[in-house]
Amino acid sequence: NLFIILQCVYLFLTGYKYMNDSILELERYLLSLTTTLLFIQLVNKIDVNKIIKWLDKLSFLIILQALVMFVVQGSLTAAESSVGPVSIQVFSDDSESRISAFFSDPNKMMCYFLILLLIRILLETAIHGKNIKWHWQYLIYLIGAVISLARTSVISVILFILLFLCYRYLFRNNIQIGNCLLFMVTLIVFLLIIQFQTAFFTWIDHFFASVLEVFGRTRTAQIDGNMTTDSRVLVWREAFNYIKQSPLFGNGLLSESNLLPIPTHNTVIQLLLDTGLIGILLYITGIFRPILEVVPFWLVLATMIVPMLFLDLGNFRLIFVVLGIAMQYQTIAGGEI
């Protein structure tokens, strides 16, 4: 609520010249808030076990439909394929094809499966306890993320599996030690990246080149196969110039459409660009804090934070579904459902 109020006051006081874009983005955040409120109410009226089974079936059917469409997509073009309740979008050009499901972007399909997995585990821990156990159905969501052919999906899926194994078998009796080690490893990796940027970027280039080769994404390998010239890295650098000009309150919602050549593809940078430090602090406090109170950090890291570093998911609606369920977690865990 404070996040939305802040933006309304900002628009009113500054007479922001990109008013139409800002109002459009504000409407999206209002829809996100509505989504949270809706699921706060719905969560008191659902059978959690049935919802989990329904999520598994829905995810499996989407994958099946997506794969069928991918096989037959040779007879379609991007212009001919359509999006609807029973159709699948195929992002295609002369050199590569990617499944988008019912999203306009394959990366959003990846996020759909990853965050749906988070929702499943959230519901599961509410009724069975916070000791997360492996279920073969997790593979459905992980496969769904990978068939988007997104490079980020490889990072998220590998990270999910590694952290699950670590917390399940190494730190199952002392989660705090696991969290401390995860924080230390993350900090050390960050410092090593700063110290050895050239070597790190070279390794990343080779890793992503291998992933793109496996995925058959020749077009992306040609235009965005190098970290130093990757369009996302270049636009991040350009975005920071505008962030420094207005670090506290930002440049207004959806400012990237008027200030940058392409979208930022990074939630943190986008929030800093749009709303500044105040906005991102409100976002983190209002969204991540309630979620992290009920699910472990490693799970949020693999399914939410990593995708956020490569995509703008500030008002991705499924995140607010997670928030709504998390805010009613005690009601679910207390057996009132």
Side-chain angles (χ1 to χ4, degrees):
N1 291 337
L2 286 174
F3 182 88
I4 293 174
I5 291 171
L6 172 70
Q7 293 309 310
C8 289
V9 172
Y10 179 87
L11 289 172
F12 178 76
L13 293 179
T14 63
Y16 186 57
K17 61 181 179 179
Y18 307 125
M19 186 68 73
N20 291 335
D21 291 334
S22 295
I23 291 175
L24 172 63
E25 193 72 348
L26 185 61
E27 289 173 353
R28 290 172 178 163
Y29 277 106
L30 287 171
L31 286 173
S32 299
L33 175 61
T34 304
T35 301
T36 301
L37 296 174
L38 175 65
F39 275 85
I40 287 176
Q41 299 299 318
L42 285 180
V43 81
N44 291 305
K45 304 174 183 178
I46 62 174
D47 184 319
V48 175
N49 287 308
K50 287 184 178 179
I51 290 296
I52 290 175
K53 292 179 181 178
W54 179 82
L55 289 176
D56 292 342
K57 292 178 181 177
L58 174 66
S59 299
F60 175 77
L61 290 173
I62 291 175
I63 291 174
L64 182 62
Q65 184 187 21
L67 291 175
V68 169
M69 285 300 297
F70 187 72
V71 171
V72 302
Q73 67 86 30
S75 62
L76 300 172
T77 66
E80 293 171 344
S81 58
S82 61
V83 180
V86 293
S87 64
I88 285 290
Q89 170 113 353
V90 179
F91 175 83
S92 177
D93 64 13
D94 294 336
S95 56
E96 68 179 54
S97 298
R98 297 174 63 192
I99 303 169
S100 301
F102 44 83
F103 293 102
S104 59
D105 186 339
N107 294 317
K108 294 293 177 69
M109 173 178 150
M110 172 199 70
C111 294
Y112 173 81
F113 282 106
L114 289 175
I115 298 177
L116 216 59
L117 175 59
L118 173 60
I119 292 172
R120 188 196 195 279
I121 295 177
L122 173 58
L123 292 172
E124 193 176 277
T125 57
I127 57 177
H128 298 299
K130 295 185 178 181
N131 187 18
I132 301 174
K133 299 179 180 180
W134 177 263
H135 297 276
W136 69 266
Q137 290 90 340
Y138 291 175
L139 290 173
I140 298 174
Y141 303 86
L142 298 178
I143 291 172
V146 171
I147 65 171
S148 68
L149 303 185
R151 288 171 286 182
T152 308
S153 69
V154 178
I155 300 174
S156 289
V157 169
I158 291 175
L159 193 62
F160 176 87
I161 294 173
L162 287 177
L163 291 177
F164 173 86
L165 292 174
C166 288
Y167 278 87
R168 177 62 181 165
Y169 297 105
L170 296 180
F171 311 124
R172 62 183 303 175
N173 296 321
N174 200 324
I175 302 298
Q176 294 303 320
I177 291 179
N179 290 338
C180 290
L181 286 175
L182 178 59
F183 175 77
M184 290 176 60
V185 170
T186 303
L187 181 61
I188 291 172
V189 170
F190 179 73
L191 293 175
L192 288 175
I193 291 173
I194 294 176
Q195 183 65 29
F196 304 102
Q197 289 187 36
T198 303
F200 172 75
F201 286 152
T202 301
W203 181 84
I204 287 293
D205 287 341
H206 287 307
F207 174 75
F208 280 150
S210 300
V211 172
L212 291 173
E213 184 178 355
V214 172
F215 285 167
R217 296 181 56 187
T218 55
R219 171 181 173 273
T220 302
Q222 292 172 357
I223 63 175
D224 278 335
N226 188 299
M227 283 291 291
T228 56
T229 58
D230 188 286
S231 58
R232 295 188 186 187
V233 176
L234 294 177
V235 82
W236 292 347
R237 291 173 180 169
E238 189 171 345
F240 273 114
N241 294 327
Y242 293 104
I243 290 170
K244 288 186 289 186
Q245 294 176 14
S246 184
L248 284 181
F249 295 100
N251 297 277
L253 291 174
L254 212 62
S255 56
E256 47 89 8
S257 63
N258 301 285
L259 300 176
L260 302 174
I262 61 173
T264 59
H265 295 290
N266 185 300
T267 306
V268 176
I269 292 176
Q270 187 68 51
L271 286 171
L272 285 171
L273 182 68
D274 287 356
T275 65
L277 290 171
I278 293 178
I280 198 170
L281 287 175
L282 288 172
Y283 188 91
I284 292 172
T285 303
I287 293 179
F288 281 96
R289 183 182 57 80
I291 295 174
L292 288 173
E293 286 179 356
V294 295
V295 291
F297 172 73
W298 69 264
L299 178 60
V300 176
L301 175 65
T303 58
M304 277 182 59
I305 296 177
V306 168
M308 280 184 157
L309 295 178
F310 297 94
L311 295 166
D312 175 21
L313 301 174
N315 48 33
F316 191 59
R317 227 70 77 225
L318 275 184
I319 291 175
F320 293 86
V321 173
V322 178
L323 178 61
I325 296 173
M327 292 175 70
Q328 282 287 39
Y329 182 89
Q330 296 302 324
T331 302
I332 306 173
E336 296 182 21
I337 294 181

